[in-house]
Amino acid sequence: MKLNIQYSEVINGRFSPSDLNLMLVFQVNCPGCFIHGFPLLNDLQACFEGKLSCFAMSTAFEDFELNTAENTRLLFEQNVFVGETLKAHQAGAFKWNKILFPVLVDKPIHQPDLSDSRTIETIIQHNEGWLAGPEPEKQKIRTALKGYFAQQIQCGYTFAVNLMQGTPTFILFDNTMSILLNWFGHQDPQLVTDKIDTFIKKS
């Protein structure tokens, strides 16, 4: 499957994909992203320095009044937290260290563009398994996707078209945008490190 990325701005540096890239997709109002996601990304960046390009993407699929580009800028420019993330930080659930990698802001997509046939076809075109399937099966997928997205008011484009489950989500991809590995939620750090190391050795 090919990764499809669109973003409205880049905070904290420049975005330039390399041979092997790891993207953390997060929401600013997502305590788990800060308790588990960012510490793991920081550790992996340090572990594979020079071999792995790390960056994060701020998205929104809920709490749209909090998960905004403005709050993303406040977070990385002034260390300002919001919502449940603020409560978790005040409770000492996580420590916030300076982020040394670029942060992208996911491009918003609203109804009716979410359920538009062009969006649906983009998803199918980036999924090689669906693309190779018979037309009746692809039509079933189109109908299911259209029904799913018709229920969404808005979303981050990258989050939506890559059919992510939630945040934090990690995606490992190469310079052709082919997804090599992805996972949602908390994973064992050593297991993740070993899997990424395997791809590095192959390259």
Side-chain angles (χ1 to χ4, degrees), residues 68-152:
T68 64
E70 180 182 1
N71 283 339
T72 302
R73 288 190 294 270
L74 287 171
L75 171 64
F76 291 100
E77 293 172 0
Q78 300 180 37
N79 298 321
V80 174
F81 301 96
V82 298
E84 296 302 315
T85 302
L86 173 60
K87 294 177 184 178
H89 187 253
Q90 290 173 333
F94 67 91
K95 293 182 179 179
W96 184 243
N97 298 316
K98 184 178 180 181
I99 301 301
L100 301 177
F101 42 77
V103 178
L104 281 59
V105 178
D106 202 357
K107 181 181 177 181
I109 182 170
H110 304 266
Q111 283 291 3
D113 292 335
L114 257 174
S115 56
D116 187 86
S117 59
R118 289 170 296 184
T119 303
I120 304 303
E121 290 307 311
T122 295
I123 295 171
I124 292 175
Q125 289 295 322
H126 278 74
N127 193 308
E128 295 169 356
W130 291 348
L131 193 61
E135 189 57 38
E137 290 300 316
K138 283 192 281 188
Q139 191 56 47
K140 288 181 182 178
I141 293 170
R142 290 186 184 100
T143 301
L145 288 172
K146 191 173 184 66
Y148 170 73
F149 286 125
Q151 302 174 43
Q152 311 297 316

Side-chain angles (χ1 to χ4, degrees), residues 22-26 38 41 54-58 101-105:
L22 183 63
M23 176 174 72
L24 162 64
V25 182
F26 73 99
F38 280 104
L41 190 62
C54 294
F55 66 100
M57 171 173 277
S58 175
F101 42 77
V103 178
L104 281 59
V105 178

